[in-house]
Amino acid sequence: MSHEQNREPGRGIGGERPEASGGDPWTRLPSMAPATPPVGGRAAEGVSAVVPGGLAPLAAPVRTAPGGGLAPGGRVVAPSPLDPGASRDPHGIHRTLREDFPLTYDPLLRAWVLSRYADVATALTDSRFTHGHRPGDPPCARAHVDVDVAALRSVTERTAYVLARRIAERPQADLVADLCHWLPAGTVAAAVGVPYRDMMRLVRGRAAGALAGECGGQIAVREKALASFLGNVLADPDQVAALRDAPAGLVGRAWAESLRRDPPVQIAVRRTAAEVPVSGGVLPAGASVALLVGSAGRDPERFREPDRFDPFRDDPGQLTYGSGFCPAVVLAGLEAEYALRALFTAMPRLRFADGFRPVWTGLITRAPRSLIVRPGG
């Protein structure tokens, strides 16, 4: 097989990204030159590449045709997470990658792609992967001190109830525009004393940084996470009934379940500092790696019925946030809890508008763009 297909393409995701989220560190995917093809592991039949020392089997076929399928000569190739149509429905692509191409090079991403839960979880936590920041990971947790969680809880609750009361007065509303867009910014603004009239102008920069430091840019991620959470809960009347007066612990489980099923960040980028064995082969040192967080959360090897939203599942897990303390992580959970409580308190009969169903869109970050509701039922 020619090594031609592994050459760096003339452009990458940095020049054709369909959406950019204003400085959020998780959505800035850098230009990444391809590394040496990984050696070893489960070789794809008949596939080889030129590597130092001669021919060696590739861990998985590389992508050479849009949408996956058969390349010239009848060789099966991997689909790309950036293929046309992936914004509306990436799950079929993710399924194919998990099952048939657990390690493959993607020219559009200019990176090796990992899609299985075990591999993505390793890449997010293993010291052999570098150049990444995830709120709640140990380095992040050590950076935050003297954060008053009670104060954060108070301002989150107050902001959520103010917004919910305003929505309750309308015959119809969009929870994304009228709640999800304002609550994450409003809680940060209130916590650092930014006047309400200046909230949206200042909170994404100086005010957010004053509270959360390196995690200040997570406001955009929290907006999308909240929209997905409300979309998942309100889409199922049984979930609405179960969570209407639920204790904080159950609301927290529903929040974590939404992060698993519909993470706000679909693709994260890391670079290997050493060789790392993964499903399908061995990543070499210095390789750029795209982690399909959205695919990992729906891996049937890790989760039963992975496409189903189930706050009561006994195999929970999410990869959006680490397990350590971070104001951005705390605020995200509080915003989910108090948004739900405030909405149900102000609008006991809240439901989606007739005929409306939430539609998730996005490639790098992903969430419903609208949640049209009838506050009065």
Side-chain angles (χ1 to χ4, degrees):
M1 182 184 71
S2 169
H3 195 54
E4 177 73 19
Q5 63 193 30
N6 284 340
R7 289 184 181 175
E8 179 178 349
R11 67 183 189 275
I13 191 169
E16 58 188 30
R17 186 167 66 240
E19 57 180 324
S21 299
D24 193 317
W26 273 35
T27 59
R28 292 198 304 270
L29 294 186
S31 176
M32 298 172 290
T36 304
V39 179
R42 295 177 297 181
E45 182 177 356
V47 180
S48 60
V50 177
V51 296
L55 289 174
L58 270 176
V62 297
R63 177 182 184 271
T64 58
L70 293 178
R75 184 171 63 83
V76 178
V77 296
S80 170
L82 302 187
D83 276 340
S87 175
R88 277 299 182 101
D89 184 17
H91 306 303
I93 292 174
H94 291 172
R95 187 179 305 111
T96 298
L97 290 171
R98 285 194 308 266
E99 293 176 356
D100 300 327
F101 303 91
L103 179 61
T104 186
Y105 177 73
D106 190 300
L108 294 179
L109 286 166
R110 297 187 181 182
W112 296 96
V113 176
L114 297 179
S115 52
R116 293 180 177 176
Y117 180 92
D119 296 325
V120 173
T122 296
L124 289 171
T125 57
D126 195 299
S127 61
R128 292 171 295 179
F129 291 83
T130 61
H131 299 170
H133 171 76
R134 184 174 63 151
D137 280 345
C140 170
R142 290 192 294 268
H144 301 296
V145 295
D146 300 327
V147 175
D148 190 338
V149 175
L152 295 184
R153 179 177 293 277
S154 176
V155 298
T156 302
E157 181 179 18
R158 183 167 66 250
T159 306
Y161 276 87
V162 168
L163 293 171
R165 284 195 293 270
R166 293 181 177 181
I167 294 171
E169 300 170 357
R170 306 174 189 176
Q172 184 167 294
D174 179 357
L175 294 184
V176 172
D178 299 327
L179 179 71
C180 301
H181 183 60
W182 292 96
L183 181 56
T187 54
V188 174
V192 298
V194 174
Y196 185 85
R197 63 181 179 275
D198 297 327
M199 177 175 62
M200 295 305 292
R201 181 170 63 87
L202 295 178
V203 75
R204 295 177 184 277
R206 175 167 54 84
L211 174 68
E214 191 175 357
C215 300
Q218 287 288 312
I219 288 177
V221 171
R222 289 179 7 237
E223 290 178 7
K224 292 181 179 293
L226 182 59
S228 289
F229 174 66
L230 295 177
N232 278 320
V233 171
L234 294 176
D236 186 343
D238 291 337
Q239 300 295 347
V240 172
L243 295 171
R244 185 177 301 277
D245 299 308
L250 180 55
V251 176
R253 290 178 63 177
W255 167 242
E257 171 70 350
S258 184
L259 293 176
R260 175 202 67 81
R261 182 180 184 272
D262 295 295
V265 177
Q266 292 284 301
I267 304 176
V269 177
R270 295 294 186 265
R271 185 176 292 274
T272 55
E275 288 190 351
V276 185
V278 294
S279 299
V282 179
L283 285 168
S288 294
V289 187
L291 314 178
L292 302 190
V293 179
S295 172
R298 297 197 183 207
D299 187 343
E301 294 296 317
R302 171 61 176 82
F303 302 102
R304 286 184 296 279
E305 297 184 82
D307 294 332
R308 186 165 67 95
F309 177 73
D310 180 12
F312 300 96
R313 68 169 54 249
D314 58 5
D315 56 346
Q318 58 84 23
L319 296 173
T320 297
Y321 295 123
S323 57
F325 176 82
C326 170
V329 179
V330 173
L331 277 172
L334 292 175
E335 286 156 4
E337 177 184 351
Y338 285 111
L340 205 61
R341 296 194 189 286
L343 288 172
F344 286 156
T345 298
M347 296 159 271
R349 299 172 61 191
L350 177 71
R351 63 175 178 85
F352 281 138
D354 292 340
F356 177 83
R357 299 294 292 179
V359 176
W360 275 256
T361 60
L363 289 174
I364 310 304
T365 60
R366 184 173 177 82
R369 292 189 176 180
S370 62
L371 294 171
I372 309 302
V373 297
R374 300 278 297 178

